[in-house]
Amino acid sequence: MDLTKNKRGTASVWGGETNLFEHGATTPPVVNSVTFAYDDLDEWFDVAVGKRDGHIYSRNTNPTVQVLEEKIRVMEYAEAATSFATGMAAISNTLFTLLSPGDRVVSINDSYGGTSKIFLEHLPRFNVDVQLCETTNHEQIETEISKGCKVVYLETPTNPTLKILDLKRLIKAAKQAGAIVVVDNTFATPINQTPILLGADLVVHSATKFLSGHSDVMGGLICGKEELVKKVFHYREINGASLNPASAYMIIRGMKTLELRVLRQNDNALNIAKFLQDHKSVKEVFYPGLESHPGHAIAASQMSGFGGVLSFSLNGGFDEVKQFLTKLKFVHLAASLGSVSTLAGPPKTTSHVEMTEAQRKQLGIPEGLVRYSVGIENVEDLIEDLNEALFK
Ligand SMILES: *Cc1c(COP(=O)(O)O)cnc(C)c1O
């Protein structure tokens, strides 16, 4: 069944699940088998060489995992998809597949912390030339792309200050330079943003965040052009960073409520951003849904909702943040984001802990910043909670 014409809420429920499973099961079975047996050696051989569909060994493919891969493929309007043990496995496998010694990659300073480490520490060891640009300086990014590169790696909105990149504009520049465009769509999810429809070649996800949505499973996904996905899959088969079937099932289950959760989180985050913006002890609010956000117009043109993550700084700096955060009731002070429950923390002690104050300043991350990943709670309770905890 082709689900490309359907809305994303329908696609998230039915993607990969339009046929019944064995015994007429209506939900995908968790197939824990490591290996798959054949009575007929010719059939086994045909499956092994890819002439016929089937499974051989679960490091390569697995029936439960395949349902999840089909679901994200459908959700992101992609030709093909594959999966990984974590989001970082998806990103590192993608970059190490696409880049070889002597190649050049162009990206931004604000990519996810782990991705940044690959750019700054690991790829240079293999003589890959990494050019990171000031995140919202589109002219600089275009100039660097036009000098020639193999891969353009983008992420929008960014962590933790929710900067926005103009995907159409940068994808156009990348196409002109003959580069492959990879977009990390973890923050937006396919409910709010579909980069492949804007011309991206590959989309990567940490399924640990919004896709699974309950902070109880880790996983990574990529989808996009079949030829590229096949190459990355070929590397992952041997590299071994495969997703296990139990985790795949948890992500499948989570994704069925993706639209319900994300629409609620979009609403909650926008309401909270507006509330905080008017509060006198709040210095600055970073949320692309606010008209005052410098990337608002671009975000409004390429996103259908602004996502469930926002950040804000307090006038009193880090000392005030410490007191404020511990007064909140409906929040886990923890890393990660995209869960049904609200998660918050200062980037200074979580995602950007390894940087110096000067480096954080360079990225525009105030010392008194709080990243707040809004859950699906009732927004009245969250606002009351924030109001009680903020300095009067
Ligand atoms: C969390 C995250 C990742 C890494 O995913 P893991 O599942 O933790 O490995 C990559 N990109 C973004 C934007 C993330 O938020």
Side-chain angles (χ1 to χ4, degrees), residues 86-89 91 112 115 155 159 184 186-187 206-209 218-219 337:
T86 65
M88 278 319 303
I91 293 165
Y112 176 74
T115 311
E155 188 178 323
N159 185 22
D184 184 333
T186 300
F187 265 50
S206 167
T208 312
K209 313 293 170 56
M218 301 198 80
L337 54 101

CSV table of all heavy atoms in Angstrom, one decimal, residues 86-89 91 112 115 155 159 184 186-187 206-209 218-219 337, ligand 1:
chain,number,residue,atom,x,y,z
A,86,THR,N,22.2,3.0,17.9
A,86,THR,CA,22.0,4.3,18.4
A,86,THR,C,22.0,5.4,17.3
A,86,THR,O,22.4,5.1,16.2
A,86,THR,CB,23.1,4.7,19.4
A,86,THR,OG1,24.3,4.9,18.7
A,86,THR,CG2,23.3,3.7,20.5
A,87,GLY,N,21.6,6.6,17.7
A,87,GLY,CA,21.7,7.7,16.7
A,87,GLY,C,23.1,8.0,16.3
A,87,GLY,O,23.4,8.2,15.1
A,88,MET,N,24.0,7.9,17.3
A,88,MET,CA,25.4,8.1,16.9
A,88,MET,C,26.0,7.1,16.0
A,88,MET,O,26.8,7.3,15.2
A,88,MET,CB,26.3,8.3,18.2
A,88,MET,CG,26.3,9.7,18.8
A,88,MET,SD,26.3,11.1,17.7
A,88,MET,CE,27.8,10.8,16.8
A,89,ALA,N,25.5,5.8,16.2
A,89,ALA,CA,25.9,4.8,15.2
A,89,ALA,C,25.4,5.1,13.8
A,89,ALA,O,26.2,4.9,12.8
A,89,ALA,CB,25.4,3.4,15.7
A,91,ILE,N,24.9,8.1,12.6
A,91,ILE,CA,25.6,9.3,12.1
A,91,ILE,C,27.1,8.9,11.7
A,91,ILE,O,27.6,9.2,10.7
A,91,ILE,CB,25.6,10.4,13.1
A,91,ILE,CG1,24.2,10.9,13.2
A,91,ILE,CG2,26.6,11.5,12.7
A,91,ILE,CD1,23.9,11.8,14.4
A,112,TYR,N,25.0,18.4,16.8
A,112,TYR,CA,24.9,17.6,18.0
A,112,TYR,C,26.3,17.3,18.5
A,112,TYR,O,27.3,17.0,17.8
A,112,TYR,CB,24.1,16.4,17.7
A,112,TYR,CG,24.1,15.4,18.9
A,112,TYR,CD1,23.2,15.7,20.0
A,112,TYR,CD2,24.8,14.3,18.9
A,112,TYR,CE1,23.2,14.9,21.1
A,112,TYR,CE2,24.8,13.4,20.0
A,112,TYR,CZ,23.9,13.7,21.1
A,112,TYR,OH,23.9,12.9,22.2
A,115,THR,N,28.2,14.3,17.1
A,115,THR,CA,28.6,14.6,15.7
A,115,THR,C,29.8,15.5,15.6
A,115,THR,O,30.7,15.3,14.8
A,115,THR,CB,27.3,15.2,15.0
A,115,THR,OG1,26.2,14.4,15.3
A,115,THR,CG2,27.5,15.2,13.5
A,155,GLU,N,21.9,20.3,10.2
A,155,GLU,CA,21.0,19.9,11.3
A,155,GLU,C,20.2,21.2,11.6
A,155,GLU,O,20.8,22.2,11.8
A,155,GLU,CB,21.9,19.5,12.5
A,155,GLU,CG,21.2,18.9,13.7
A,155,GLU,CD,22.1,18.5,14.8
A,155,GLU,OE1,23.2,18.0,14.5
A,155,GLU,OE2,21.8,18.7,16.0
A,159,ASN,N,20.8,22.3,18.6
A,159,ASN,CA,20.9,22.1,20.0
A,159,ASN,C,22.0,23.0,20.6
A,159,ASN,O,23.1,22.9,20.1
A,159,ASN,CB,21.3,20.6,20.2
A,159,ASN,CG,21.2,20.2,21.6
A,159,ASN,OD1,20.6,20.7,22.5
A,159,ASN,ND2,22.0,19.1,21.9
A,184,ASP,N,20.2,15.9,9.8
A,184,ASP,CA,19.8,15.3,11.1
A,184,ASP,C,18.4,15.9,11.4
A,184,ASP,O,18.3,17.0,11.7
A,184,ASP,CB,20.8,15.6,12.2
A,184,ASP,CG,20.5,14.9,13.5
A,184,ASP,OD1,19.3,14.7,13.8
A,184,ASP,OD2,21.4,14.7,14.3
A,186,THR,N,16.4,14.8,13.8
A,186,THR,CA,16.0,14.4,15.2
A,186,THR,C,15.0,15.4,15.9
A,186,THR,O,14.0,15.0,16.5
A,186,THR,CB,17.2,14.1,16.1
A,186,THR,OG1,18.0,13.1,15.4
A,186,THR,CG2,16.8,13.6,17.4
A,187,PHE,N,15.4,16.6,15.9
A,187,PHE,CA,14.7,17.6,16.6
A,187,PHE,C,13.3,17.9,16.0
A,187,PHE,O,12.3,18.1,16.7
A,187,PHE,CB,15.4,19.0,16.7
A,187,PHE,CG,16.3,19.1,18.0
A,187,PHE,CD1,17.1,18.1,18.4
A,187,PHE,CD2,16.2,20.3,18.7
A,187,PHE,CE1,17.9,18.3,19.5
A,187,PHE,CE2,16.9,20.4,19.9
A,187,PHE,CZ,17.8,19.4,20.3
A,206,SER,N,18.2,10.2,15.6
A,206,SER,CA,18.3,9.4,16.8
A,206,SER,C,16.9,9.0,17.2
A,206,SER,O,16.1,9.9,17.6
A,206,SER,CB,18.9,10.3,17.9
A,206,SER,OG,18.7,9.7,19.1
A,207,ALA,N,16.6,7.7,17.0
A,207,ALA,CA,15.2,7.2,17.4
A,207,ALA,C,15.0,7.2,18.9
A,207,ALA,O,13.9,7.0,19.4
A,207,ALA,CB,15.0,5.9,16.8
A,208,THR,N,16.1,7.4,19.6
A,208,THR,CA,16.1,7.5,21.1
A,208,THR,C,15.2,8.7,21.6
A,208,THR,O,14.7,8.6,22.7
A,208,THR,CB,17.6,7.8,21.6
A,208,THR,OG1,18.4,6.8,20.9
A,208,THR,CG2,17.7,7.6,23.0
A,209,LYS,N,15.1,9.7,20.8
A,209,LYS,CA,14.4,10.9,21.2
A,209,LYS,C,12.9,10.8,20.8
A,209,LYS,O,12.2,10.0,21.3
A,209,LYS,CB,15.1,12.1,20.5
A,209,LYS,CG,16.6,12.1,20.7
A,209,LYS,CD,17.1,12.2,22.1
A,209,LYS,CE,18.6,12.0,22.2
A,209,LYS,NZ,19.5,12.8,21.4
A,218,MET,N,17.1,2.9,22.9
A,218,MET,CA,18.0,3.6,22.0
A,218,MET,C,17.9,3.1,20.6
A,218,MET,O,17.8,1.9,20.5
A,218,MET,CB,19.4,3.6,22.5
A,218,MET,CG,19.5,4.2,23.9
A,218,MET,SD,21.2,4.6,24.4
A,218,MET,CE,21.4,6.2,23.5
A,219,GLY,N,18.1,3.9,19.6
A,219,GLY,CA,18.2,3.4,18.3
A,219,GLY,C,18.5,4.6,17.3
A,219,GLY,O,18.5,5.8,17.7
A,337,LEU,N,16.1,14.2,25.3
A,337,LEU,CA,15.0,15.1,25.0
A,337,LEU,C,14.0,14.2,24.2
A,337,LEU,O,14.3,13.1,23.9
A,337,LEU,CB,15.5,16.2,24.1
A,337,LEU,CG,16.3,15.8,22.8
A,337,LEU,CD1,15.5,15.9,21.6
A,337,LEU,CD2,17.5,16.8,22.7
B,1,LIG,C1,20.6,12.5,20.7
B,1,LIG,C2,21.0,13.0,19.4
B,1,LIG,C3,21.9,12.3,18.6
B,1,LIG,C4,22.5,11.0,19.0
B,1,LIG,O1,21.6,10.0,19.3
B,1,LIG,P1,21.9,8.7,20.3
B,1,LIG,O2,20.7,7.9,20.1
B,1,LIG,O3,22.0,9.4,21.7
B,1,LIG,O4,23.2,8.1,19.9
B,1,LIG,C5,22.1,12.8,17.3
B,1,LIG,N1,21.6,13.9,16.9
B,1,LIG,C6,20.7,14.6,17.7
B,1,LIG,C7,20.2,15.9,17.1
B,1,LIG,C8,20.4,14.2,18.9
B,1,LIG,O5,19.6,14.9,19.7
